[in-house]
Amino acid sequence: MAVREAEPVGSLQEVKEAGLDREDLLGIYRHMLITRAIEERGHILYRQGKIPGSFYTGRGNEAAAVGVATAMGPNDVGTPLHRDMGVHITRGVEPWRIIAQYMGREGGPTRGRDGNVHMAAPELGLHPMVSHLPAMLPVAVGMALAFKIRGDRRVALGWFGEGSAARGDAHESMNMAGVRQLPVVFICDNNQWAYSTPTYLGYPIEHVADRAAAYGFDGVVVDGTDVLAVYREAKAAIEKARQGGGPTLIECLTLRMEGHAVHDDAFYVPKEMFEQWAAQDPIERFRTWLRSNADMTDDEEDQITSVVKRLLNDALERAEESPLPDPSGLEQGVYASAEDLDTPHHK
Amino acid sequence: MSTGTQIEVVMPQMGVSVSEGTITKWLKQPGEAIARDELLLEISTDKVDTEVPSPGEGVLAEILVSEGQTVDVGTVLGRIGPAGSEAAASAPEEPVPAPASVEPAAVAPEPALAAAAPVEAAPAPVAAPQTETSGNGRAFVSPVVARIAAEHGVDTTAVAGTGTGGRVTKKDILAFIESGASAPAAVLPGPPSTEPQPPAPEPAPIPEPAPVPRPPDETPEPQTIPVPEPMPEPPTPRPPTQPEPAPEPQLGPGEVLEPMTAMRRGIADHMRRSLDTSAHVTSAIEVDMSRVVALRKKLKPEYERTHGVNVTYLAFIARAAVETLKEYPWINGELRGESIVTRSSINLGFAVELADGKGLIVPVLKNSETLNLLGIAKGVADIAERARSKKLLPDEVQGGTFTITNPGGYGTFHGTPVISQPQAGILGTYAVVKRPWVIQDEMGQDVIAVRPIMNLTLTYDHRLVDGALAGRFLRDIRERLESWDEAAY
Amino acid sequence: MPELTYIQAISDALRQEMRRDQRVFVLGQDVGVYGGAFKVTLGFQEEFGPWRVMDAPLSETAIVGGATGAALMGLRPVAEMQFADFISCAWDHLVTVAAKQFFRGRTPVPIVVRLPSGGGFSGGPFHSQNPESSFAHIPGLKIVCPATPHDAKGLLATSIEDPNPVLYFEHKHLYRRIKGEVPEERYTIPFGQARVHREGDDAVVVTWGAMVHTASDAADQLAGEGFEVEILDLRTLIPWDKARVLESVRRCSKVLVLHEDTRTGGFGAEIAATIAEEAFEDLDAPVVRIAAPDTPVPFSPALEKAFLPQVEDVVKSLQELAAY
């Protein structure tokens, strides 16, 4: 085994040592529920014709996304992908803006200039992905380079999938980050299917994280359905990077529980594989853990569920109130002007 | 290489961008024998120093460029004659093509090769409309000639053409018109012209609002109030500070230079001007926040759940300040010229820090006197968020009547903020700190209790507000905060 | 005023910006100890240290992508491509990421990519290209092509100050061949303002980069024939000074568009089309283009000379325009 395979997280005591109190745990649970609820709502809206274009979800990746984002510091930055809605939710992007983004409304983070999860929230440290995966990895490395040059104690996180690990951007960015020991953490959302391509046609080694050794830093594989294990590994890697310990590659192993996008029924995923992973649904898994380890009560569960429900209803209402963007403004905003540089993220 | 001719030694091109080189040393002198590829001289260029091997064998016949001289790439530096020949006294007459030279310019253009190359460097010749008879050529009229002809009512067939095939050129028709040969131009309306039309009588243009920024300290006087003496001129607004062409500041070791942003310059100017304008005095008071802390703990989850708003200490203080300001109109007022202005509305400004101390902005919550605690909490959260994401409207950073600044978030317990002009005061709120506090127990005995204490400061313009007034104002705010009446707010 | 070569002016400008603004830093291959392939950053690492003059691995993607990330975090990176030709390896990061980030996320990407471009020295197909028109087609990028030492310095300062991704094409053939007076103090030159390199009313040559000097030599030859040619140096292609070009077209009525890049889809086509659309009734002859033929840049001097527009080609076209 070339890389470490992370142990699952057990007792509440162990979780406390990782820096989470009971309130944090309930917060994580709420974020995972919001993440799934938004994507389920999006599915419905898409089928109602209210969302144009394609629609992608991260079902099955909620724990990986929320776990990593929970471990980020307030001034850390990242470039999450289309399976990482949980990162946006955890960092505090308002749900109504996400739905407005889906619908191409003015109220969405890109004001209808881009769609689905291509979302910016620079004030929350999130920079919008592009479709050319993993093109945001070199960008994350550049962010880390800025921190290193300036002496900021901040960390950049770059996400990629096991499919895009085959592209040169992944190599160039990890190599440069390794050479310069930059404060960056690479998160591989390994959901085992790059559209219809299985892992054995994408890479010839056991784990994507095996590659970390070739770039001179640590790699770790973690069960991406275990939100607490993901948190623990991400926290350790982020703090190591913050202390000057250089990059880490964390591979979160999950299964993409839906097609590549709504138009794909994923017929090529073997039934047994799907059923095996369905049995370890990350949200249900964490709910069970909370009930047996953190004494989550029926009341608490009901309260969280109803908060999420209300949040989603309000979000949908507000998103639908948001106007469509005014086409007369299309040609403005292609080029930045000097005053745009005074924005908070440009510090 | 033939021994019957001379071989040229040229300045080589040592890199794609190198255009010249300097001879540092000749390793052979005229008359000395030299073998092919034997080192002949040393040169230096912008990019590299190198030795030049001889391009052929024989005797160094002459040196044309001496040591220390700098010449262009391709320049002939010397010549090598056949073995047994003598050094020449002067340059030979017959130019000899260089052998394998690295310098493209030294390769004589070979017309045969260039012509055979399947490429087309020259443009296609300009397609003249007709090259034969003048009659056909005159029929073509270029767009500009057609336009000028139409504008001036000129028959182009009457103009002598000097262009290809007798075509009438722009110069031809302009000369024709200049000579007075054409009909009067004005009678023939041309096609839509790019020339400006003579101005038709029209209503007087509405003047554009003058884009001259009014400096905040330039205070127009109310017309109705007689002024006994001429006012001193407000300070002339300085032209916007230009970073150029100020000399670059000298940097010491370890120092870092960064240009000011427009926002930073604006803050710098305003702060300086405020201190030059108002007579700043600061008074402070300690407030026992026990009641507010307890109330906030109770309201916070409720407000969050039902209104999605985080109720902060600042909201309580702002609410108390508004209520108190109603009773102290001068502190909510301003000096305008020789007069004192008070008003019925309270527009509360909040100093919002942009990330990492790179600037601040003071959005204004208009008509705060109409808002209850929830309204203020919502309003503050909204303008602060929009201030940080740069989504404030211009109107929302103007018209403040009193400002609250909250530097206590980092634990400071006292400060002396600068007044936002032309206001009369600014309230500073500081960290809530648990302190041993002397209170009276139910028996009337003095005892020490642990209480959350906060310092509040009022920085006021002593030109308008006296110390006693400021003290009473602070006392009343304290009173409101310490005995917070939930129903009233 | 000191006389500097074109490359010295670039180097001076960069050093001046790095002294003035600590956020400015350089990254690229061999830019450190070696001072860059063309020695633009020679001595910089001693002055600014290894992190502000950063030797990158052979990774154009990571260099331009990394510059984008650093710019998003508030720095002002100046990335060097060893040759403009190698920008193809970073295409994605200019076109997909840097050019579109502000449009989508309102987050400016103030990066400068320095691109040593152009031919004339047997650099062959991979060290001689002028790929500016490929990027002129990408909304969100700005394109700068200085022709003189004075402009090289002022335009580099503007490029670094600009809040957008700027491609700064510096012509290798001009590096040490062109000298001119350059003020010592810092100055900027606004984008989108053409410069009249030579005055004349009989025809206008619209051009940029090294071809400004080719056109100038040609115009000097024609002056003896009583044909005065204006040379308009665009200086920046995005944005380009359309108003100034149309003004010259209206005055001169005969136009030659000249560039070193290949013909089809070259930026000259955009200029010619604009003239046809907006100044048709001011033309006294067809708009003429001179450009390199549609081939890769050849290596052999004989072929390269046939490829690159020469002074005599320009003279011939201008003579034809004069006679038209």
Side-chain angles (χ1 to χ4, degrees):
Chain A
M1 183 58 44
V3 291
R4 184 166 63 83
E5 291 196 42
E7 294 294 318
V9 167
S11 67
L12 190 60
Q13 183 55 34
E14 203 181 320
V15 171
K16 277 183 179 155
E17 284 164 16
L20 297 175
D21 61 23
R22 191 170 177 281
E23 204 171 312
D24 296 328
L25 293 172
L26 295 178
I28 288 172
Y29 182 59
R30 190 176 71 247
H31 288 145
M32 289 169 74
L33 285 183
I34 296 171
T35 301
R36 179 161 296 177
I38 280 193
E39 294 187 336
E40 283 176 346
R41 171 55 58 184
H43 242 152
I44 295 166
L45 292 168
Y46 188 73
R47 288 168 201 276
Q48 290 169 337
K50 288 184 176 178
I51 294 177
S54 293
F55 188 71
Y56 306 84
T57 74
R59 194 180 183 93
N61 201 55
E62 294 91 345
V66 172
V68 172
T70 305
M72 289 170 73
N75 293 320
D76 294 342
V77 295
T79 57
L81 304 181
H82 53 309
R83 313 293 184 203
D84 301 314
M85 177 61 69
V87 176
H88 295 271
I89 297 301
T90 306
R91 294 295 284 183
V93 178
E94 296 166 275
W96 79 270
R97 288 194 182 278
I98 294 168
I99 295 178
Q101 164 89 358
Y102 283 163
M103 298 167 100
R105 303 297 176 112
E106 183 67 32
T110 65
R111 298 139 33 257
R113 269 62 173 175
D114 204 347
N116 55 70
V117 198
H118 294 203
M119 291 189 298
E123 69 283 2
L124 303 173
L126 301 180
H127 291 266
M129 64 174 289
V130 297
S131 297
H132 302 40
L133 309 177
M136 296 314 282
L137 288 189
V139 176
V141 167
M143 292 166 167
L145 175 61
F147 301 154
K148 182 95 175 183
I149 289 175
R150 242 184 345 222
D152 292 351
R153 288 168 58 80
R154 297 166 71 187
V155 178
L157 283 88
W159 275 264
F160 68 114
E162 89 288 349
S164 66
R167 281 197 64 239
D169 287 30
H171 166 70
E172 287 195 19
S173 50
M174 288 186 201
N175 185 57
M176 188 142 98
V179 167
R180 294 280 171 173
Q181 287 295 295
L182 300 176
V184 58
V185 177
F186 297 101
I187 308 290
C188 178
D189 288 336
N190 187 346
N191 63 22
Q192 305 193 60
W193 294 91
Y195 211 144
S196 70
T197 306
T199 56
Y200 66 87
L201 294 179
Y203 53 91
I205 47 180
E206 188 175 2
H207 297 296
V208 173
D210 291 346
R211 293 186 188 167
Y215 301 117
F217 49 81
D218 290 340
V220 57
V221 180
V222 60
D223 180 346
T225 67
D226 181 348
V227 67
L228 298 176
V230 171
Y231 168 82
R232 185 190 58 204
E233 297 305 324
K235 185 81 179 168
I238 289 169
E239 295 314 317
K240 179 183 172 190
R242 202 186 307 288
Q243 303 304 327
T248 305
L249 168 50
I250 299 176
E251 178 178 351
C252 302
L253 195 63
T254 61
L255 183 70
R256 194 188 70 207
M257 298 305 287
E258 289 172 327
H260 174 68
V262 172
H263 59 261
D264 169 25
D265 64 4
F267 67 88
Y268 42 80
V269 176
K271 192 163 172 281
E272 314 74 58
M273 184 184 203
F274 183 84
E275 282 168 357
Q276 178 207 330
W277 284 85
Q280 58 183 85
D281 176 77
I283 294 179
E284 182 54 29
R285 181 173 174 175
F286 188 46
R287 192 185 75 87
T288 310
W289 188 94
L290 284 172
R291 292 199 72 106
S292 51
N293 290 279
D295 304 321
M296 180 165 71
T297 63
D298 288 344
D299 278 356
E300 283 174 321
E301 222 186 308
D302 288 350
Q303 204 214 334
I304 291 173
T305 312
S306 67
V307 163
V308 171
K309 197 172 171 186
R310 195 162 55 233
L311 193 66
L312 261 291
N313 287 342
D314 291 351
L316 180 60
E317 201 174 309
R318 201 165 166 195
E320 287 191 310
E321 281 169 11
S322 175
L324 289 165
D326 178 0
S328 71
L330 175 61
E331 289 186 52
Q332 279 86 53
V334 175
Y335 290 93
S337 59
E339 65 200 30
D340 295 311
L341 280 172
D342 279 343
T343 53
H345 79 279
H346 256 279
K347 55 193 178 186
Chain B
M1 215 27 67
S2 159
T3 53
T5 54
Q6 289 198 324
I7 298 161
E8 287 183 345
V9 180
V10 299
M11 177 62 75
Q13 178 161 27
M14 296 304 299
V16 294
S17 71
V18 172
S19 63
E20 59 186 24
T22 305
I23 297 185
T24 45
K25 191 171 186 188
W26 281 99
L27 301 173
K28 297 283 180 188
Q29 293 306 314
E32 283 187 63
I34 178 110
R36 185 192 177 91
D37 297 340
E38 188 183 350
L39 298 181
L40 178 55
L41 74 156
E42 293 171 1
I43 60 163
S44 168
T45 69
D46 289 349
K47 291 183 76 172
V48 74
D49 296 343
T50 190
E51 295 153 329
V52 177
S54 172
E57 70 175 7
V59 169
L60 181 58
E62 61 177 336
I63 288 175
L64 297 172
V65 179
S66 53
E67 289 174 6
Q69 277 191 279
T70 301
V71 293
D72 286 349
V73 165
T75 304
V76 179
L77 307 174
R79 291 194 174 87
I80 295 166
S85 68
E86 301 211 339
S90 64
E93 289 303 305
E94 193 186 350
V96 179
S101 165
V102 292
E103 159 53 34
V107 177
E110 291 183 46
L113 181 53
V119 293
E120 184 197 354
V126 176
Q130 295 292 338
T131 52
E132 289 301 314
T133 67
S134 62
N136 283 339
R138 293 173 65 91
F140 174 74
V141 178
S142 76
V144 72
V145 170
R147 175 170 64 76
I148 293 169
E151 281 168 9
H152 293 268
V154 173
D155 174 5
T156 54
T157 58
V159 182
T162 64
T164 306
R167 182 184 77 87
V168 175
T169 67
K170 180 182 173 189
K171 276 185 181 166
D172 295 337
I173 193 167
L174 288 175
F176 182 79
I177 291 164
E178 187 91 344
S179 71
S182 68
V187 295
L188 280 175
S193 167
T194 53
E195 300 292 319
Q197 296 297 317
E202 56 183 57
I206 298 161
E208 294 265 319
V212 180
R214 192 171 69 90
D217 59 350
E218 194 182 66
T219 47
E221 294 159 43
Q223 294 286 318
T224 49
I225 298 171
V227 182
E229 281 179 48
M231 284 286 299
E233 281 292 303
T236 314
R238 272 182 295 155
T241 321
Q242 294 287 348
E244 258 51 60
E248 286 173 31
Q250 293 297 310
L251 275 190
E255 288 181 333
V256 172
L257 202 69
E258 167 176 349
M260 266 192 180
T261 59
M263 170 173 283
R264 177 51 46 198
R265 246 194 320 270
I267 293 169
D269 286 348
H270 188 88
M271 292 302 161
R272 192 61 257 165
R273 195 170 55 234
S274 181
L275 287 172
D276 287 344
T277 303
S278 297
H280 281 71
V281 177
T282 299
S283 298
I285 199 162
E286 290 172 312
V287 182
D288 180 347
M289 294 289 277
S290 304
R291 206 172 163 81
V292 171
V293 169
L295 209 57
R296 176 170 178 265
K297 195 172 177 190
K298 180 184 138 201
L299 291 177
K300 195 172 179 308
E302 180 188 321
Y303 277 24
E304 229 155 61
R305 198 168 52 245
T306 51
H307 306 290
V309 61
N310 176 19
V311 56
T312 59
Y313 293 127
L314 184 61
F316 285 89
I317 295 159
R319 183 72 191 91
V322 167
E323 214 49 36
T324 312
L325 281 168
K326 286 181 186 168
E327 293 156 16
Y328 293 84
W330 279 16
I331 298 179
N332 189 48
E334 71 178 80
L335 277 186
R336 193 177 291 170
E338 293 286 278
S339 311
I340 296 165
V341 176
T342 56
R343 65 264 289 183
S344 57
S345 58
I346 297 168
N347 300 334
L348 267 194
F350 292 88
V352 176
E353 181 207 15
L354 301 184
D356 260 15
K358 287 289 168 73
L360 61 89
I361 192 164
V362 186
V364 174
L365 204 55
K366 296 272 165 71
N367 297 106
S368 303
E369 76 281 2
T370 64
L371 300 173
N372 61 9
L373 180 65
L374 175 65
I376 284 189
K378 268 188 160 168
V380 170
D382 174 54
I383 56 177
E385 194 272 332
R386 285 188 297 120
R388 294 201 176 95
S389 56
K390 293 196 70 181
K391 288 187 185 130
L392 289 172
L393 304 172
D395 192 42
E396 291 176 316
V397 292
Q398 291 167 359
T401 62
F402 185 78
T403 298
I404 299 182
T405 181
N406 177 31
Y410 305 109
T412 58
F413 73 94
H414 184 64
T416 58
V418 177
I419 293 169
S420 178
Q421 292 297 325
Q423 298 166 21
I426 181 167
L427 190 71
T429 76
Y430 298 89
V432 177
V433 181
K434 283 185 185 162
R435 291 239 187 89
W437 204 245
V438 178
I439 58 168
Q440 287 189 334
D441 65 12
E442 53 272 32
M443 311 290 289
Q445 298 289 315
D446 283 349
V447 294
I448 292 176
V450 175
R451 287 293 169 93
I453 302 299
M454 182 185 65
N455 264 21
L456 270 184
T457 61
L458 178 71
T459 300
Y460 52 96
D461 184 351
H462 207 333
R463 295 180 304 162
L464 176 59
V465 178
D466 293 330
L469 190 72
R472 287 201 295 278
F473 176 83
L474 282 169
R475 178 201 62 194
D476 288 359
I477 286 200
R478 177 175 70 180
E479 187 62 23
R480 286 203 159 82
L481 288 168
E482 291 187 347
S483 59
W484 192 276
D485 177 355
E486 199 180 341
Y489 302 131
Chain C
M1 218 183 286
E3 187 164 83
L4 298 182
T5 60
Y6 182 87
I7 197 169
Q8 282 167 339
I10 294 169
S11 186
D12 276 15
L14 190 52
R15 191 183 299 105
Q16 210 164 43
E17 294 307 303
M18 290 182 75
R19 285 178 182 162
R20 174 178 178 268
D21 186 346
Q22 197 85 14
R23 296 170 301 176
V24 180
F25 77 103
V26 168
L27 80 165
Q29 293 150 20
D30 308 302
V31 295
V33 172
Y34 191 68
F38 296 101
K39 305 293 181 189
V40 168
T41 54
L42 189 63
F44 277 43
Q45 203 171 59
E46 285 92 321
E47 178 171 354
F48 301 110
W51 284 100
R52 287 187 68 204
V53 186
M54 189 179 132
D55 279 318
L58 224 154
S59 301
E60 282 80 7
T61 290
I63 290 169
V64 175
T68 300
L72 286 169
M73 293 299 104
L75 296 187
R76 299 298 182 93
V78 179
E80 177 178 304
M81 292 291 108
Q82 205 148 65
F83 284 81
D85 309 68
F86 301 149
I87 194 62
S88 56
C89 301
W91 168 271
D92 209 18
H93 273 270
L94 281 172
V95 171
T96 303
V97 185
K100 296 176 175 56
Q101 213 67 0
F102 181 71
F103 181 72
R104 304 184 310 140
R106 309 299 292 172
T107 48
V109 180
I111 65 174
V112 178
V113 184
R114 287 185 35 244
L115 298 155
S117 60
F121 40 80
S122 286
F126 311 113
H127 292 78
S128 308
Q129 296 174 85
N130 294 280
E132 65 263 18
S133 69
S134 307
F135 295 99
H137 192 63
I138 307 299
L141 304 176
K142 291 190 178 180
I143 293 178
V144 179
C145 304
T148 67
H150 184 274
D151 285 352
K153 177 169 174 178
L155 287 170
L156 185 55
T158 312
S159 300
I160 291 171
E161 226 174 56
D162 196 278
N164 297 284
V166 178
L167 304 191
Y168 181 90
F169 287 90
E170 44 195 65
H171 200 292
K172 298 188 291 290
H173 204 59
L174 303 181
Y175 270 163
R176 293 178 171 85
R177 286 178 177 80
I178 298 294
K179 290 195 172 107
E181 291 194 334
V182 179
E184 280 183 57
E185 69 271 12
R186 177 178 192 272
Y187 58 97
T188 56
I189 294 172
F191 287 174
Q193 289 189 8
R195 179 183 62 91
V196 178
H197 186 76
R198 187 184 190 285
E199 291 184 355
D201 287 326
D202 295 326
V204 57
V205 179
V206 182
T207 187
W208 58 90
M211 286 296 119
V212 170
H213 304 283
T214 303
S216 187
D217 291 349
D220 287 349
Q221 284 188 27
L222 284 163
E225 300 172 22
F227 192 69
E228 290 298 339
V229 176
E230 175 177 298
I231 297 174
L232 208 49
D233 172 8
L234 286 183
R235 303 203 283 194
T236 63
L237 297 191
I238 303 292
W240 69 284
D241 196 348
K242 193 162 97 174
R244 188 64 185 74
V245 169
L246 292 174
E247 192 275 311
S248 291
V249 171
R250 296 201 166 103
R251 186 163 34 78
C252 303
S253 294
K254 291 179 176 176
V255 193
L256 171 61
V257 182
L258 167 65
H259 58 67
E260 188 180 313
D261 187 14
T262 52
R263 185 182 193 83
T264 302
F267 198 71
E270 175 66 26
I271 296 169
T274 303
I275 292 170
E277 277 180 342
E278 301 193 24
F280 179 71
E281 292 194 1
D282 292 294
L283 289 174
D284 201 24
V287 177
V288 179
R289 278 186 293 159
I290 300 183
D294 292 324
T295 76
V297 186
F299 168 72
S300 169
L303 295 176
E304 193 184 27
K305 184 166 183 289
F307 175 87
L308 295 173
Q310 301 291 317
V311 173
E312 46 268 38
D313 301 328
V314 179
V315 168
K316 184 162 173 282
S317 281
L318 286 173
Q319 280 169 336
E320 285 169 358
L321 272 178
Y324 185 85

